[in-house]
Amino acid sequence: MAFSRCSCWRSNSMPRGRNHCEARVLACCCGIAACSLCCKCCPKIKQSTSTRFMYALYFMLVTIICCVMMSTTVANEMKTHIPFYKQMCKSIQAGEMCEKLVGYSAVYKVCFGMACFFFLFFLFTIKINSSKSCRAYIHNGFWLIKLILLAAMCSGAFFIPDQDTFLNAWRYVGATGGFLFIAIQLILLVEFTHKWNKNWTAGAKHKQMWNGLLALVTLMLYSIAVAALVLMALFYTHSEGCMYNKVLIGVHGGLCLFVSLVAISPCVQNRQPHSGLLQSGVISCYVMYLTFSALSSKPPETILDENNRNITICVPEFSQDLHRDENLVTGLGTTILFGCILYSCLTSTTRASSEALRGIYGTPESEVARCCFCCMPEGDADAEEHVEKRGGQSVIYDEKKGTVYSYAYFHFVFFLASLYVMMTVTHWFHWKRHFWVTPVFPG
């Protein structure tokens, strides 16, 4: 078996010294070895964390490519600085100036390939309970082969016949998947803040400092949410129009207030003693971001002023001709997106978090309060027995006794995240050909 040969080579023939790093990279890319850094000073890393980080790295790479595809600045720079650009575009049949490789349609095709990649692995990893099965070996290794497969799927989407029908159908699939991801994201955020509140509340039994920190963070979250609500009401509404914006801001603000009252109601407190304003504060901030994204994606309105001149409303005055609000959404959205994706797909794809989707929360017997509560060790005592120390970063093989997270659920979250990225990058329901005016990343 190829698996056993690779494993045997990795354990018995691993060279020392200068060629050790190259051997580790080769075993990671073409075998079942866990990926790790060559630097010995790096902290230990679990095999399960290493695997999820590599999938997240692939995801972020494709997301950055999508951002570049939506930038006219990048496209113009490529035309200026790449020799024989026109001839190259014709040779790959991408149009006279590679117009098929830019714009929202190109992003749809690339995200289609990425979504298919993760959906394929979702089907492939259903009901895997042992990390020693052949399917688990493929999930945890062979990274170069999987990168080639991902690139082939993203490239192959450009050769789909009847592009118009494909794009019209795929945008509805993307919108549905994006909404599902937002729903899962909200539930996982509740699980995250539930764990946060429980940990710091446990610390308050010994030190009142944790109560003060809890109150301070809650106050900061609500200050951010209220400030965002006020700024959106100031810049995205007008006395003579913008009814949709007014309704959206009012409804979302009212729902955040309702959720806050529910979180501290006696009924909820009796059922969930660790519930509080921290959870509703985090959710309120996230809802304000989603509201901001929706308002920025909505086309502006035009009315006549007292001099019978057309004026644009429902957008900030400083961005009426420059689309700076969309660029702000792009920068803010990219930052929040990566943070949310990494949390949902790395920290929140454990079995405990998948149970949280069904309203089941773990209750550990002992709770030690700490600032970095989300990185609390879980089962490291057993994992320390399987630490690989062969130079470079040490790898803890924490899945010797079984998988520590659901492989299928992990890939399904990434599948929905791919659709969410597609809709976010293309500003959701902008069907016409669309670009970003400035690049996402300066320089």
Side-chain angles (χ1 to χ4, degrees):
M1 292 289 291
F3 299 121
S4 59
R5 286 201 302 268
C6 182
S7 180
C8 181
W9 171 82
R10 179 170 57 84
S11 59
N12 298 327
S13 341
M14 189 69 76
R16 302 290 180 183
R18 183 176 179 179
N19 296 328
H20 181 77
C21 182
E22 289 82 354
R24 289 173 67 96
V25 172
L26 182 62
C28 166
C29 294
C30 303
I32 61 174
C35 288
S36 60
L37 300 177
C38 296
C39 182
K40 293 183 179 180
C41 62
C42 294
K44 298 176 184 178
I45 186 172
K46 297 180 182 180
Q47 181 192 25
S48 59
T49 302
S50 172
T51 297
R52 288 178 284 181
F53 177 79
M54 288 300 297
Y55 282 113
L57 193 63
Y58 286 177
F59 176 86
M60 295 173 69
L61 176 63
V62 177
T63 302
I64 292 173
I65 292 174
C66 291
C67 293
V68 171
M69 285 180 167
M70 291 294 292
S71 173
T72 53
T73 305
V74 174
N76 292 331
E77 290 294 324
M78 291 174 61
K79 296 176 186 177
T80 305
H81 295 93
I82 297 180
F84 310 108
Y85 181 78
K86 189 174 182 179
Q87 292 82 345
M88 181 187 68
C89 292
K90 289 183 178 180
S91 63
I92 62 176
Q93 299 180 353
E96 184 175 354
M97 299 301 291
C98 288
E99 58 269 12
K100 294 182 180 179
L101 300 180
V102 292
Y104 96 92
S105 61
V107 173
Y108 272 33
K109 296 168 191 175
V110 171
C111 288
F112 172 78
M114 180 168 63
C116 289
F117 174 82
F118 287 115
F119 189 75
L120 176 66
F121 272 91
F122 160 68
L123 297 177
F124 184 74
T125 55
I126 290 177
K127 293 186 178 180
I128 292 182
N129 297 316
S130 173
S131 62
K132 297 181 180 180
S133 65
C134 292
R135 291 189 297 158
Y137 283 139
I138 295 175
H139 167 80
N140 291 312
F142 303 98
W143 294 104
L144 178 60
I145 298 174
K146 285 188 281 195
L147 179 61
I148 296 174
L149 176 62
L150 176 61
M153 286 185 167
C154 292
S155 303
F158 286 88
F159 300 96
I160 296 176
D162 196 0
Q163 294 283 325
D164 291 337
T165 303
F166 161 73
L167 294 174
N168 287 332
W170 185 239
R171 71 187 182 208
Y172 290 110
V173 176
T176 304
F179 282 124
L180 286 176
F181 181 79
I182 291 175
I184 291 178
Q185 185 75 354
L186 287 172
I187 297 174
L188 293 179
L189 279 174
V190 172
E191 186 265 341
F192 167 76
T193 50
H194 178 86
K195 184 178 180 181
W196 184 1
N197 192 36
K198 181 171 61 176
N199 183 263
W200 284 18
T201 302
K205 297 178 181 178
H206 307 284
K207 289 184 178 180
Q208 289 299 318
M209 174 192 70
W210 294 107
N211 266 335
L213 286 175
L214 198 62
L216 178 62
V217 171
T218 303
L219 179 62
M220 291 175 59
L221 289 172
Y222 272 101
S223 299
I224 294 173
V226 172
L229 187 68
V230 171
L231 289 175
M232 285 187 290
L234 181 64
F235 290 113
Y236 287 94
T237 61
H238 193 274
S239 58
E240 299 182 11
C242 308
M243 182 57 64
Y244 171 83
N245 292 5
K246 294 175 183 177
V247 171
L248 190 66
I249 293 173
V251 170
H252 285 185
L255 288 176
C256 290
L257 177 61
F258 175 74
V259 169
S260 301
L261 295 176
V262 169
I264 58 176
S265 64
C267 179
V268 174
Q269 289 292 315
N270 292 334
R271 185 176 179 85
Q272 289 289 347
H274 296 290
S275 175
L277 291 176
L278 181 66
Q279 288 94 321
S280 56
V282 171
I283 294 301
S284 296
C285 288
Y286 187 67
V287 169
M288 289 300 105
Y289 158 70
L290 294 178
T291 307
F292 177 50
S293 178
L295 295 178
S296 300
S297 300
K298 181 181 176 294
E301 299 177 11
T302 303
I303 63 172
L304 293 176
D305 62 4
E306 57 274 7
N307 298 322
N308 290 326
R309 292 181 302 179
N310 288 328
I311 60 171
T312 302
I313 60 174
C314 305
V315 293
E317 294 182 0
F318 56 80
S319 66
Q320 288 185 6
D321 297 321
L322 300 178
H323 300 283
R324 290 182 183 174
D325 55 338
E326 290 189 357
N327 296 332
L328 180 60
V329 169
T330 298
L332 180 62
T334 302
T335 303
I336 296 178
L337 177 65
F338 282 158
C340 292
I341 296 298
L342 287 176
Y343 173 73
S344 295
C345 299
L346 299 182
T347 305
S348 295
T349 49
T350 60
R351 295 194 184 279
S353 295
S354 59
E355 289 178 351
L357 294 175
R358 303 192 303 269
I360 304 174
Y361 297 97
T363 54
E365 295 180 358
S366 60
E367 191 83 28
V368 179
R370 62 184 71 194
C371 292
C372 192
F373 64 93
C374 58
C375 299
M376 293 177 64
E378 296 178 2
D380 282 355
D382 295 335
E384 290 289 346
E385 299 176 1
H386 310 287
V387 180
E388 182 187 70
K389 297 180 179 179
R390 301 179 182 276
Q393 188 178 22
S394 299
V395 178
I396 302 174
Y397 285 88
D398 57 334
E399 294 191 313
K400 291 290 184 180
K401 298 181 180 180
T403 59
V404 299
Y405 65 100
S406 171
Y407 292 174
Y409 170 66
F410 171 80
H411 287 293
F412 184 71
V413 171
F414 261 101
F415 164 71
L416 294 180
S418 302
L419 301 178
Y420 178 73
V421 165
M422 180 183 75
M423 302 307 296
T424 301
V425 170
T426 56
H427 297 287
W428 289 85
F429 298 106
H430 282 198
W431 307 133
K432 297 182 180 180
R433 190 174 182 83
H434 181 81
F435 293 97
W436 282 341
V437 178
T438 57
V440 182
F441 306 102

